[in-house]
Amino acid sequence: MRNPVKAITTAASVLALAFGANAALATEATQASAGKLSNGSEVTAVTLTAGNGVSATILTFGATLWKLNAPDRDGKTADVLVAYDKLSDFETRPNFWGATIGRYGNRIADGKFTLDGKTYQLPGNDHGQSLHGGGKGFDVQNWKLESVKSGKVATAVFSLVSPDGDSGYPGTVKAKVTYSLDESGNLQIVFDATTDKPTVLNMTNHAIFNMAGEGSERDAMTNVLTLPASKYTPVNEKLIPTGELRAVEGTPFDFRNGKPVAVGLRDGNDQQIVYGRGFDHNFALDKGQTKTPELAARLEDPVSGRVLELLTTEPGVQFYSGNFLDGTFIGKQGHLYRMGDGIALEPQKFPDSPNHANFPSTRVDPGKPYRHVMIYRVTTSPR
């Protein structure tokens, strides 16, 4: 199998292609009502459309990436995101799909961390662990739509204020998420935040992908995944990292040269697969933390040729193989989602970092703003 990593241009080249070049096509930003929440507040859907057929629709609720339409080799477009069709389902049965995650992406052990000698208790929404903000995080807030703009790069800017003590976290955090789609179909997401007290912050996007297309007869387990990471963070039975950085070589976790997601997914001889009911682990990217986005993952449907390249400034990516899709979730076009119908690739600092001195720090201080830049680059592979 050819090595997909070698075929990917450098981060600098990607950014130049994505945001620096003059191109003939323009991108358009439009907005429309997506309905109302139970409290009567209006939810807006913003659609960013590029001339090459790529489009992204974002909801103010959760600053959620709701739809991502991508053409295949023959120009046939499909939505590659697993998600609900109905706004009411996002509200009454939240499942993080496509949402902006905060304040803290992934798990914190027992919902506790200590900062400057003080221990903070967060909600335990995952068997006593705090997951993705504790159950009342950024994903279930109706963000303010600050601006929408068409042009060579179409943008939509969303903002949210999280008050001091929100879900147990210290400091008033003012967060902003900027979605930008360029003429080549590169969707950039920038997370910015400030705080008035020392706090911890780890924001990401939780899109669930199947590059064959949502609802396709080919589920996401046939997608070929590449992760340029020689180590990952093993977990205990509660899916909390042990603090170890373990080599992927010789294990089901070695995706460095690309392989179908299904390979190793049900390897009951590996205790980590048993704990996660599949893959639900953080991969320590070889690139580490970077100033500009670099490759974190590549996902391809070999049949249609649709390719997703994920780039990020963060040092880790959580690979989740949709293990808890149990057939009770009814999504787009009435599709019933089951295990394997989609996977998540969440760029981040490591889960439970506040409780591991050897993990990348998630501390944010006043006067030192938080920023995470990621890109979903949608292309096609040759036949």
Side-chain angles (χ1 to χ4, degrees):
M1 180 183 294
R2 70 184 173 86
N3 186 339
V5 176
K6 294 181 180 178
I8 298 172
T9 54
T10 64
S13 297
V14 169
L15 291 173
L17 285 171
F19 300 105
N22 256 343
L25 302 175
T27 53
E28 182 182 15
T30 59
Q31 56 182 302
S33 174
K36 293 185 178 181
L37 300 173
S38 58
N39 64 6
S41 60
E42 187 81 20
V43 174
T44 300
V46 178
T47 299
L48 311 178
T49 305
N52 64 352
V54 176
S55 67
T57 300
I58 307 102
L59 300 174
T60 53
F61 186 74
T64 296
L65 179 58
W66 184 23
K67 302 175 182 178
L68 182 60
N69 291 304
D72 66 10
R73 294 188 192 99
D74 300 318
K76 182 180 178 180
T77 299
D79 185 356
V80 297
L81 296 185
V82 166
Y84 291 122
D85 250 347
K86 300 176 182 178
L87 178 62
S88 58
D89 289 334
F90 281 98
E91 183 179 15
T92 61
R93 202 178 184 194
N95 206 28
F96 309 117
W97 294 341
T100 293
I101 301 299
R103 293 189 185 188
Y104 200 95
N106 277 286
R107 294 173 176 85
I108 293 181
D110 300 321
K112 291 181 181 180
F113 69 92
T114 300
L115 190 65
D116 294 336
K118 182 176 180 179
T119 298
Y120 295 90
Q121 180 65 60
L122 316 173
N125 62 323
D126 182 49
H127 306 288
Q129 319 310 306
S130 183
L131 174 66
H132 295 327
K136 295 184 178 179
F138 291 178
D139 60 298
V140 291
Q141 309 301 318
N142 198 20
W143 291 56
K144 180 181 178 182
L145 180 58
E146 293 283 355
S147 64
V148 177
K149 181 182 178 182
S150 300
K152 289 186 176 181
V153 177
T155 61
V157 182
F158 305 83
S159 67
L160 179 72
V161 177
S162 176
D164 185 22
D166 188 12
S167 292
Y169 288 92
T172 297
V173 167
K174 295 180 179 180
K176 182 173 70 173
V177 179
T178 303
Y179 285 85
S180 304
L181 182 67
D182 75 356
E183 296 155 326
S184 298
N186 298 283
L187 180 65
Q188 178 175 271
I189 309 175
V190 180
F191 306 92
D192 289 298
T194 60
T195 181
D196 61 358
K197 292 181 182 178
T199 192
V200 296
L201 200 60
N202 190 29
M203 295 175 65
T204 190
N205 183 274
H206 199 291
I208 305 285
F209 293 96
N210 179 4
M211 296 310 293
E214 180 277 332
S216 168
E217 61 182 15
R218 301 186 307 280
D219 67 18
M221 301 302 96
T222 65
N223 288 189
V224 175
L225 176 64
T226 304
L227 290 169
S230 56
K231 294 181 180 180
Y232 76 104
T233 53
V235 297
N236 62 22
E237 68 279 3
K238 296 180 180 179
L239 300 183
I240 297 295
T242 62
E244 178 189 356
L245 289 173
R246 184 177 295 177
V248 301
E249 187 170 359
T251 77
F253 294 83
D254 193 347
F255 286 88
R256 289 174 295 176
N257 291 317
K259 64 179 181 179
V261 171
V263 176
L265 179 67
R266 292 176 172 84
D267 185 355
N269 294 311
D270 191 301
Q271 186 61 53
Q272 288 298 305
I273 296 293
V274 175
Y275 282 156
R277 294 171 57 176
F279 298 105
D280 193 2
H281 295 75
N282 170 70
F283 286 72
L285 298 168
D286 292 341
K287 74 176 189 65
Q289 182 94 19
T290 50
K291 290 185 178 180
T292 57
E294 295 184 15
L295 180 70
R298 183 184 190 274
L299 191 65
E300 177 184 355
D301 172 41
V303 177
S304 69
R306 291 189 191 93
V307 175
L308 176 80
E309 293 169 3
L310 168 64
L311 298 94
T312 180
T313 53
E314 297 299 82
V317 61
Q318 185 85 5
F319 166 35
Y320 165 61
S321 53
N323 315 328
F324 297 96
L325 299 177
D326 60 3
T328 66
F329 300 98
I330 301 175
K332 293 174 179 175
Q333 304 179 67
H335 293 145
L336 196 67
Y337 295 142
R338 298 170 57 188
M339 181 181 178
D341 284 343
I343 71 167
L345 296 164
E346 307 155 55
Q348 61 182 12
K349 294 184 176 69
F350 299 175
D352 203 35
S353 273
N355 295 312
H356 298 277
N358 62 318
F359 282 5
S361 174
T362 55
R363 180 183 180 123
V364 180
D365 289 299
K368 297 180 180 180
Y370 170 92
R371 170 166 273 215
H372 169 198
V373 182
M374 59 179 285
I375 297 172
Y376 291 133
R377 185 174 186 229
V378 179
T379 60
T380 57
S381 62
R383 293 187 187 279

PDB file of all heavy atoms in Angstrom, residues 175-200:
ATOM      1  N   ALA A 175     -15.130  32.931  24.673  1.00  0.00           N
ATOM      2  CA  ALA A 175     -14.697  32.050  23.592  1.00  0.00           C
ATOM      3  C   ALA A 175     -15.223  32.527  22.253  1.00  0.00           C
ATOM      4  O   ALA A 175     -16.307  33.113  22.161  1.00  0.00           O
ATOM      5  CB  ALA A 175     -15.161  30.627  23.859  1.00  0.00           C
ATOM      6  N   LYS A 176     -14.464  32.235  21.213  1.00  0.00           N
ATOM      7  CA  LYS A 176     -14.865  32.574  19.848  1.00  0.00           C
ATOM      8  C   LYS A 176     -14.443  31.428  18.933  1.00  0.00           C
ATOM      9  O   LYS A 176     -13.346  30.879  19.072  1.00  0.00           O
ATOM     10  CB  LYS A 176     -14.196  33.876  19.399  1.00  0.00           C
ATOM     11  CG  LYS A 176     -14.604  34.330  17.999  1.00  0.00           C
ATOM     12  CD  LYS A 176     -14.037  35.709  17.669  1.00  0.00           C
ATOM     13  CE  LYS A 176     -12.552  35.681  17.473  1.00  0.00           C
ATOM     14  NZ  LYS A 176     -12.016  36.972  16.989  1.00  0.00           N
ATOM     15  N   VAL A 177     -15.329  31.058  18.020  1.00  0.00           N
ATOM     16  CA  VAL A 177     -15.018  30.043  17.022  1.00  0.00           C
ATOM     17  C   VAL A 177     -15.259  30.636  15.642  1.00  0.00           C
ATOM     18  O   VAL A 177     -16.343  31.164  15.372  1.00  0.00           O
ATOM     19  CB  VAL A 177     -15.879  28.772  17.199  1.00  0.00           C
ATOM     20  CG1 VAL A 177     -15.534  27.746  16.127  1.00  0.00           C
ATOM     21  CG2 VAL A 177     -15.661  28.168  18.575  1.00  0.00           C
ATOM     22  N   THR A 178     -14.246  30.554  14.788  1.00  0.00           N
ATOM     23  CA  THR A 178     -14.343  31.092  13.430  1.00  0.00           C
ATOM     24  C   THR A 178     -14.225  29.958  12.426  1.00  0.00           C
ATOM     25  O   THR A 178     -13.215  29.254  12.390  1.00  0.00           O
ATOM     26  CB  THR A 178     -13.236  32.124  13.167  1.00  0.00           C
ATOM     27  OG1 THR A 178     -13.328  33.175  14.140  1.00  0.00           O
ATOM     28  CG2 THR A 178     -13.377  32.725  11.767  1.00  0.00           C
ATOM     29  N   TYR A 179     -15.275  29.768  11.647  1.00  0.00           N
ATOM     30  CA  TYR A 179     -15.271  28.810  10.542  1.00  0.00           C
ATOM     31  C   TYR A 179     -14.970  29.574   9.255  1.00  0.00           C
ATOM     32  O   TYR A 179     -15.608  30.597   8.972  1.00  0.00           O
ATOM     33  CB  TYR A 179     -16.630  28.132  10.390  1.00  0.00           C
ATOM     34  CG  TYR A 179     -16.964  27.088  11.425  1.00  0.00           C
ATOM     35  CD1 TYR A 179     -17.536  27.431  12.653  1.00  0.00           C
ATOM     36  CD2 TYR A 179     -16.750  25.731  11.169  1.00  0.00           C
ATOM     37  CE1 TYR A 179     -17.873  26.463  13.590  1.00  0.00           C
ATOM     38  CE2 TYR A 179     -17.089  24.753  12.098  1.00  0.00           C
ATOM     39  CZ  TYR A 179     -17.641  25.134  13.301  1.00  0.00           C
ATOM     40  OH  TYR A 179     -17.978  24.172  14.223  1.00  0.00           O
ATOM     41  N   SER A 180     -14.017  29.084   8.452  1.00  0.00           N
ATOM     42  CA  SER A 180     -13.646  29.723   7.185  1.00  0.00           C
ATOM     43  C   SER A 180     -13.523  28.667   6.101  1.00  0.00           C
ATOM     44  O   SER A 180     -12.830  27.660   6.292  1.00  0.00           O
ATOM     45  CB  SER A 180     -12.310  30.467   7.317  1.00  0.00           C
ATOM     46  OG  SER A 180     -12.345  31.418   8.359  1.00  0.00           O
ATOM     47  N   LEU A 181     -14.172  28.898   4.972  1.00  0.00           N
ATOM     48  CA  LEU A 181     -14.081  27.981   3.833  1.00  0.00           C
ATOM     49  C   LEU A 181     -13.489  28.732   2.657  1.00  0.00           C
ATOM     50  O   LEU A 181     -14.003  29.783   2.260  1.00  0.00           O
ATOM     51  CB  LEU A 181     -15.466  27.441   3.461  1.00  0.00           C
ATOM     52  CG  LEU A 181     -15.504  26.427   2.309  1.00  0.00           C
ATOM     53  CD1 LEU A 181     -14.819  25.119   2.707  1.00  0.00           C
ATOM     54  CD2 LEU A 181     -16.944  26.167   1.858  1.00  0.00           C
ATOM     55  N   ASP A 182     -12.397  28.185   2.079  1.00  0.00           N
ATOM     56  CA  ASP A 182     -11.756  28.867   0.958  1.00  0.00           C
ATOM     57  C   ASP A 182     -12.209  28.255  -0.364  1.00  0.00           C
ATOM     58  O   ASP A 182     -13.010  27.316  -0.416  1.00  0.00           O
ATOM     59  CB  ASP A 182     -10.231  28.864   1.107  1.00  0.00           C
ATOM     60  CG  ASP A 182      -9.592  27.512   0.808  1.00  0.00           C
ATOM     61  OD1 ASP A 182     -10.321  26.537   0.556  1.00  0.00           O
ATOM     62  OD2 ASP A 182      -8.354  27.423   0.821  1.00  0.00           O
ATOM     63  N   GLU A 183     -11.669  28.782  -1.467  1.00  0.00           N
ATOM     64  CA  GLU A 183     -12.114  28.389  -2.800  1.00  0.00           C
ATOM     65  C   GLU A 183     -11.712  26.967  -3.172  1.00  0.00           C
ATOM     66  O   GLU A 183     -12.246  26.387  -4.113  1.00  0.00           O
ATOM     67  CB  GLU A 183     -11.553  29.384  -3.822  1.00  0.00           C
ATOM     68  CG  GLU A 183     -12.098  30.795  -3.611  1.00  0.00           C
ATOM     69  CD  GLU A 183     -11.175  31.871  -4.159  1.00  0.00           C
ATOM     70  OE1 GLU A 183      -9.942  31.681  -4.099  1.00  0.00           O
ATOM     71  OE2 GLU A 183     -11.685  32.892  -4.631  1.00  0.00           O
ATOM     72  N   SER A 184     -10.760  26.396  -2.450  1.00  0.00           N
ATOM     73  CA  SER A 184     -10.312  25.028  -2.724  1.00  0.00           C
ATOM     74  C   SER A 184     -11.033  23.996  -1.875  1.00  0.00           C
ATOM     75  O   SER A 184     -10.757  22.799  -1.984  1.00  0.00           O
ATOM     76  CB  SER A 184      -8.799  24.920  -2.491  1.00  0.00           C
ATOM     77  OG  SER A 184      -8.102  25.776  -3.362  1.00  0.00           O
ATOM     78  N   GLY A 185     -11.932  24.458  -1.013  1.00  0.00           N
ATOM     79  CA  GLY A 185     -12.677  23.530  -0.173  1.00  0.00           C
ATOM     80  C   GLY A 185     -11.999  23.197   1.137  1.00  0.00           C
ATOM     81  O   GLY A 185     -12.294  22.170   1.751  1.00  0.00           O
ATOM     82  N   ASN A 186     -11.086  24.042   1.616  1.00  0.00           N
ATOM     83  CA  ASN A 186     -10.447  23.852   2.909  1.00  0.00           C
ATOM     84  C   ASN A 186     -11.277  24.553   3.982  1.00  0.00           C
ATOM     85  O   ASN A 186     -11.478  25.778   3.916  1.00  0.00           O
ATOM     86  CB  ASN A 186      -9.035  24.444   2.909  1.00  0.00           C
ATOM     87  CG  ASN A 186      -8.129  23.769   1.905  1.00  0.00           C
ATOM     88  OD1 ASN A 186      -7.637  22.676   2.126  1.00  0.00           O
ATOM     89  ND2 ASN A 186      -7.906  24.428   0.772  1.00  0.00           N
ATOM     90  N   LEU A 187     -11.757  23.798   4.946  1.00  0.00           N
ATOM     91  CA  LEU A 187     -12.543  24.355   6.041  1.00  0.00           C
ATOM     92  C   LEU A 187     -11.644  24.516   7.266  1.00  0.00           C
ATOM     93  O   LEU A 187     -11.216  23.530   7.865  1.00  0.00           O
ATOM     94  CB  LEU A 187     -13.729  23.453   6.368  1.00  0.00           C
ATOM     95  CG  LEU A 187     -14.638  23.942   7.498  1.00  0.00           C
ATOM     96  CD1 LEU A 187     -15.338  25.245   7.122  1.00  0.00           C
ATOM     97  CD2 LEU A 187     -15.652  22.869   7.890  1.00  0.00           C
ATOM     98  N   GLN A 188     -11.357  25.764   7.613  1.00  0.00           N
ATOM     99  CA  GLN A 188     -10.532  26.041   8.788  1.00  0.00           C
ATOM    100  C   GLN A 188     -11.434  26.405   9.958  1.00  0.00           C
ATOM    101  O   GLN A 188     -12.420  27.126   9.793  1.00  0.00           O
ATOM    102  CB  GLN A 188      -9.570  27.200   8.513  1.00  0.00           C
ATOM    103  CG  GLN A 188      -8.719  27.580   9.723  1.00  0.00           C
ATOM    104  CD  GLN A 188      -7.691  28.651   9.392  1.00  0.00           C
ATOM    105  OE1 GLN A 188      -6.587  28.358   8.983  1.00  0.00           O
ATOM    106  NE2 GLN A 188      -8.075  29.908   9.566  1.00  0.00           N
ATOM    107  N   ILE A 189     -11.089  25.886  11.139  1.00  0.00           N
ATOM    108  CA  ILE A 189     -11.799  26.217  12.374  1.00  0.00           C
ATOM    109  C   ILE A 189     -10.771  26.746  13.364  1.00  0.00           C
ATOM    110  O   ILE A 189      -9.788  26.065  13.668  1.00  0.00           O
ATOM    111  CB  ILE A 189     -12.521  25.002  12.975  1.00  0.00           C
ATOM    112  CG1 ILE A 189     -13.396  24.306  11.915  1.00  0.00           C
ATOM    113  CG2 ILE A 189     -13.373  25.423  14.167  1.00  0.00           C
ATOM    114  CD1 ILE A 189     -14.038  23.019  12.410  1.00  0.00           C
ATOM    115  N   VAL A 190     -11.012  27.960  13.857  1.00  0.00           N
ATOM    116  CA  VAL A 190     -10.103  28.584  14.820  1.00  0.00           C
ATOM    117  C   VAL A 190     -10.853  28.794  16.130  1.00  0.00           C
ATOM    118  O   VAL A 190     -11.922  29.411  16.157  1.00  0.00           O
ATOM    119  CB  VAL A 190      -9.559  29.925  14.298  1.00  0.00           C
ATOM    120  CG1 VAL A 190      -8.607  30.540  15.325  1.00  0.00           C
ATOM    121  CG2 VAL A 190      -8.854  29.747  12.969  1.00  0.00           C
ATOM    122  N   PHE A 191     -10.281  28.256  17.203  1.00  0.00           N
ATOM    123  CA  PHE A 191     -10.831  28.425  18.543  1.00  0.00           C
ATOM    124  C   PHE A 191      -9.977  29.454  19.283  1.00  0.00           C
ATOM    125  O   PHE A 191      -8.774  29.234  19.472  1.00  0.00           O
ATOM    126  CB  PHE A 191     -10.802  27.105  19.310  1.00  0.00           C
ATOM    127  CG  PHE A 191     -11.465  25.951  18.599  1.00  0.00           C
ATOM    128  CD1 PHE A 191     -10.723  25.104  17.775  1.00  0.00           C
ATOM    129  CD2 PHE A 191     -12.816  25.708  18.740  1.00  0.00           C
ATOM    130  CE1 PHE A 191     -11.314  24.036  17.129  1.00  0.00           C
ATOM    131  CE2 PHE A 191     -13.423  24.634  18.094  1.00  0.00           C
ATOM    132  CZ  PHE A 191     -12.683  23.806  17.280  1.00  0.00           C
ATOM    133  N   ASP A 192     -10.588  30.539  19.703  1.00  0.00           N
ATOM    134  CA  ASP A 192      -9.904  31.580  20.475  1.00  0.00           C
ATOM    135  C   ASP A 192     -10.625  31.760  21.800  1.00  0.00           C
ATOM    136  O   ASP A 192     -11.862  31.670  21.864  1.00  0.00           O
ATOM    137  CB  ASP A 192      -9.901  32.913  19.727  1.00  0.00           C
ATOM    138  CG  ASP A 192      -8.975  32.923  18.520  1.00  0.00           C
ATOM    139  OD1 ASP A 192      -7.760  32.750  18.714  1.00  0.00           O
ATOM    140  OD2 ASP A 192      -9.484  33.097  17.399  1.00  0.00           O
ATOM    141  N   ALA A 193      -9.868  32.036  22.862  1.00  0.00           N
ATOM    142  CA  ALA A 193     -10.501  32.265  24.158  1.00  0.00           C
ATOM    143  C   ALA A 193      -9.579  33.071  25.071  1.00  0.00           C
ATOM    144  O   ALA A 193      -8.349  32.995  24.953  1.00  0.00           O
ATOM    145  CB  ALA A 193     -10.868  30.944  24.825  1.00  0.00           C
ATOM    146  N   THR A 194     -10.199  33.823  25.964  1.00  0.00           N
ATOM    147  CA  THR A 194      -9.475  34.532  27.023  1.00  0.00           C
ATOM    148  C   THR A 194     -10.123  34.203  28.359  1.00  0.00           C
ATOM    149  O   THR A 194     -11.285  33.769  28.416  1.00  0.00           O
ATOM    150  CB  THR A 194      -9.500  36.057  26.814  1.00  0.00           C
ATOM    151  OG1 THR A 194     -10.877  36.512  26.820  1.00  0.00           O
ATOM    152  CG2 THR A 194      -8.858  36.441  25.487  1.00  0.00           C
ATOM    153  N   THR A 195      -9.362  34.398  29.438  1.00  0.00           N
ATOM    154  CA  THR A 195      -9.887  34.153  30.780  1.00  0.00           C
ATOM    155  C   THR A 195      -9.432  35.266  31.720  1.00  0.00           C
ATOM    156  O   THR A 195      -8.389  35.897  31.488  1.00  0.00           O
ATOM    157  CB  THR A 195      -9.411  32.790  31.319  1.00  0.00           C
ATOM    158  OG1 THR A 195      -9.966  32.571  32.620  1.00  0.00           O
ATOM    159  CG2 THR A 195      -7.894  32.714  31.409  1.00  0.00           C
ATOM    160  N   ASP A 196     -10.203  35.496  32.778  1.00  0.00           N
ATOM    161  CA  ASP A 196      -9.805  36.496  33.771  1.00  0.00           C
ATOM    162  C   ASP A 196      -9.203  35.869  35.020  1.00  0.00           C
ATOM    163  O   ASP A 196      -8.816  36.564  35.952  1.00  0.00           O
ATOM    164  CB  ASP A 196     -10.987  37.404  34.137  1.00  0.00           C
ATOM    165  CG  ASP A 196     -12.161  36.645  34.756  1.00  0.00           C
ATOM    166  OD1 ASP A 196     -12.081  35.402  34.872  1.00  0.00           O
ATOM    167  OD2 ASP A 196     -13.166  37.284  35.120  1.00  0.00           O
ATOM    168  N   LYS A 197      -9.134  34.528  35.057  1.00  0.00           N
ATOM    169  CA  LYS A 197      -8.476  33.787  36.129  1.00  0.00           C
ATOM    170  C   LYS A 197      -7.753  32.601  35.522  1.00  0.00           C
ATOM    171  O   LYS A 197      -8.173  32.104  34.472  1.00  0.00           O
ATOM    172  CB  LYS A 197      -9.492  33.253  37.153  1.00  0.00           C
ATOM    173  CG  LYS A 197     -10.205  34.276  37.996  1.00  0.00           C
ATOM    174  CD  LYS A 197     -11.147  33.560  38.964  1.00  0.00           C
ATOM    175  CE  LYS A 197     -11.934  34.538  39.815  1.00  0.00           C
ATOM    176  NZ  LYS A 197     -12.884  33.820  40.722  1.00  0.00           N
ATOM    177  N   PRO A 198      -6.706  32.096  36.161  1.00  0.00           N
ATOM    178  CA  PRO A 198      -6.090  30.865  35.661  1.00  0.00           C
ATOM    179  C   PRO A 198      -7.126  29.744  35.574  1.00  0.00           C
ATOM    180  O   PRO A 198      -7.942  29.555  36.479  1.00  0.00           O
ATOM    181  CB  PRO A 198      -5.025  30.554  36.715  1.00  0.00           C
ATOM    182  CG  PRO A 198      -4.682  31.879  37.297  1.00  0.00           C
ATOM    183  CD  PRO A 198      -5.983  32.635  37.337  1.00  0.00           C
ATOM    184  N   THR A 199      -7.099  29.015  34.477  1.00  0.00           N
ATOM    185  CA  THR A 199      -8.053  27.934  34.262  1.00  0.00           C
ATOM    186  C   THR A 199      -7.422  26.888  33.355  1.00  0.00           C
ATOM    187  O   THR A 199      -6.249  27.010  32.976  1.00  0.00           O
ATOM    188  CB  THR A 199      -9.369  28.484  33.669  1.00  0.00           C
ATOM    189  OG1 THR A 199     -10.380  27.461  33.721  1.00  0.00           O
ATOM    190  CG2 THR A 199      -9.192  28.969  32.243  1.00  0.00           C
ATOM    191  N   VAL A 200      -8.181  25.864  33.007  1.00  0.00           N
ATOM    192  CA  VAL A 200      -7.745  24.890  32.011  1.00  0.00           C
ATOM    193  C   VAL A 200      -8.737  24.937  30.852  1.00  0.00           C
ATOM    194  O   VAL A 200      -9.931  25.171  31.046  1.00  0.00           O
ATOM    195  CB  VAL A 200      -7.643  23.457  32.585  1.00  0.00           C
ATOM    196  CG1 VAL A 200      -6.570  23.408  33.666  1.00  0.00           C
ATOM    197  CG2 VAL A 200      -8.975  22.965  33.115  1.00  0.00           C
TER     198      VAL A 200
END
